[in-house]
């Protein structure tokens, strides 16, 4: 009987990184909702999104920002802050997609050096995504306030889609923190295993 000792490398999927991946997926869904919605900014008879604005039936004249048109939805006004916010939100969607894919590849791969590279790049890209959405969420209300005198309405409110944008920021921040706080050394541990070989020979 011969005994040999081998050392196995065991890789564990850390729960925090799995949660970070889930946060990335949730951000993708929320960003799609925010991009297609026209409920970023609302007033009586008026809804404005990043790519379209809608005029409701029997909306009071004059219309906000002196726009013209009947009931229905039209392309977004040619205003710099709306275009900038839309571009930043698209960047948020794309960069989060990349970060989520990188995190998923990190969870999937068994080579620990490659795994850590995926996680590092995922943190950087997800951080860029967070910065983009935060800039969009800040410039949108600030620049709207600058043109409020052209609004032709006394009451304005930010719709659910703008709130979804802040939800995106929260999930992105959570994803970045989870990826940064989960230590690389916790991913791998080594295990000894004894193997017994039967060397007896029989005639």
């Amino acid at each position: 009987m011969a005994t040999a000792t081998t050392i196995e490398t065991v890789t564990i999927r850390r729960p925090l990184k799995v949660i970070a991946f889930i946060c990335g997926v949730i951000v993708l869904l929320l960003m799609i909702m925010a991009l297609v919605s026209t409920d970023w900014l609302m007033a009586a008879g008026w809804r404005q999104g990043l790519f379209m604005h809608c005029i409701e039936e029997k909306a009071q004249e004059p219309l906000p920002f002196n726009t013209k048109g009947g009931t229905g939805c039209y392309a977004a006004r040619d205003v710099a802050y709306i275009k900038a916010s839309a571009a930043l939100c698209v960047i948020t969607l794309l960069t989060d997609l990349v970060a989520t894919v990188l995190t998923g590849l990190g969870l999937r791969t068994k080579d620990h050096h490659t795994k850590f590279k995926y996680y590092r790049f995922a943190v950087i890209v997800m951080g860029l995504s967070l910065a983009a959405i935060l800039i969009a969420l800040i410039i949108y209300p600030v620049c709207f306030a600058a043109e409020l005198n052209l609004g032709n309405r006394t009451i304005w409110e930010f719709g659910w889609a703008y709130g979804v944008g802040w939800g995106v920021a929260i999930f992105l921040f959570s994803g970045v923190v989870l990826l940064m706080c989960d230590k690389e050394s916790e991913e791998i541990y080594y295990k000894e295993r004894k193997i017994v070989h039967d060397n007896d020979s029989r005639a």
Side-chain angles (χ1 to χ4, degrees):
M1 303 288 285
T3 302
T5 301
T6 62
I7 298 178
E8 292 183 340
T9 301
V10 180
T11 303
I12 297 179
R13 291 189 178 95
R14 305 302 299 175
L16 295 184
K17 289 187 171 69
V18 175
I19 297 173
F21 175 78
I22 294 173
C23 286
V25 174
I26 293 174
V27 166
L28 291 174
L29 299 176
L30 293 179
M31 278 309 306
I32 292 172
M33 292 170 57
L35 285 168
V36 301
S37 174
T38 56
D39 290 340
W40 276 66
L41 189 63
M42 303 168 64
W46 174 273
R47 301 194 320 275
Q48 176 176 289
L50 297 176
F51 296 99
M52 300 186 72
H53 69 265
C54 296
I55 303 171
E56 297 177 4
E57 188 176 356
K58 298 180 181 179
Q60 180 183 352
E61 297 282 352
L63 293 173
F65 313 108
N66 298 317
T67 53
K68 304 295 182 183
T71 302
C73 294
Y74 305 87
R77 295 181 297 121
D78 188 13
V79 181
Y81 80 89
I82 297 177
K83 290 183 176 181
S85 298
L88 287 167
C89 285
V90 171
I91 290 172
T92 298
L93 177 65
L94 296 177
T95 50
D96 176 69
L97 176 61
V98 173
T100 302
V101 170
L102 288 172
T103 305
L105 291 173
L107 290 170
R108 184 180 178 86
T109 186
K110 296 184 181 301
D111 180 70
H112 63 278
H113 293 296
T114 305
K115 180 186 291 288
F116 299 152
K117 288 181 181 179
Y118 281 136
Y119 289 151
R120 281 197 294 269
F121 283 120
V123 169
I124 295 171
V125 178
M126 194 171 284
L128 293 174
S129 186
L130 175 60
I133 191 62
L134 286 176
I135 294 172
L137 293 171
I138 291 171
I139 65 173
Y140 193 87
V142 170
C143 294
F144 162 69
E147 65 170 0
L148 187 58
N149 59 323
L150 301 175
N152 296 323
R153 296 289 190 271
T154 56
I155 299 176
W156 287 89
E157 61 183 15
F158 291 100
W160 64 267
Y162 181 76
V164 165
W166 282 108
V168 166
I170 292 171
F171 279 109
L172 284 172
F173 178 77
S174 300
V176 170
V177 171
L178 291 172
L179 287 173
M180 291 180 65
C181 289
D182 207 6
K183 301 300 183 182
E184 294 178 356
S185 60
E186 298 176 349
E187 284 281 342
I188 296 172
Y189 73 89
Y190 300 94
K191 178 175 72 173
E192 288 188 0
R193 185 176 66 171
K194 291 185 178 180
I195 302 175
V196 178
H197 300 279
D198 188 357
N199 293 329
D200 290 342
S201 59
R202 298 178 182 177

